[in-house]
Amino acid sequence: MSSKVDLRLDWCSYEAAKFACEHWHYSKCIPVGNTVKVGVWENSQYIGCIIYSHGANNNIGKPYNLLQTECVELTRVALSKHITQVSKMLSISIKMLKRQSKGIRLIVSYADMQQGHNGGIYQATNWVFTGESKLDALIVNGKQVHRKTIYSQYGFNSFDRLKSVGLNVEWADVLPNYKYLMPLDKEMAKK
């Protein structure tokens, strides 16, 4: 019996990416805004997607002297059970991103320690580890929420202002994320 897997990565629809995020990613949601959605199929069966976007940070490229249009975040790896190593899928998706988005020079991603992630897929594909990134979250009415989500809901995310409008707010005690970078050209690699 052959264990060969027919792996195919191609662009996927918003609906397919949304399904993958809602069913196979711990966030249970698709990122908002412009996204690059790479679908993954094994033996002709859709098993999920990899999504790149500008993420929650509007200044993601600023520490590297890059414009917002030159830097993206790997925001989702939403996969069902699969045979192929995620590092191989990620490597192929990065090549697709580079061909499709010529101006992108850097990809940023985070391994969520809250979810038990340590960045193994980034280590396996030679990303640059840059340390820990503080996660800024609050507990609003008993539920832990990222401050970007709070801003989207209320139009502000100040701790004091949230309290002043009658919300039960506490600071969340969360683990930091590990931050990784993937430079896409020689100059960025040197930086």
Side-chain angles (χ1 to χ4, degrees), residues 13-32:
S13 68
Y14 174 86
E15 292 76 19
K18 184 174 188 277
F19 178 88
C21 291
E22 289 176 348
H23 289 85
W24 304 316
H25 192 267
Y26 62 87
S27 72
K28 301 297 181 200
C29 66
I30 190 167
V32 296

Side-chain angles (χ1 to χ4, degrees), residues 5-9 40-42 47 79 81-89 92:
V5 176
D6 179 27
L7 175 68
R8 182 172 68 90
L9 275 72
V40 183
W41 289 261
E42 282 185 338
I47 61 161
L79 300 168
K81 290 184 181 179
H82 52 276
I83 301 164
T84 308
Q85 292 182 337
V86 177
S87 58
K88 181 174 182 176
M89 296 178 217
I92 294 168

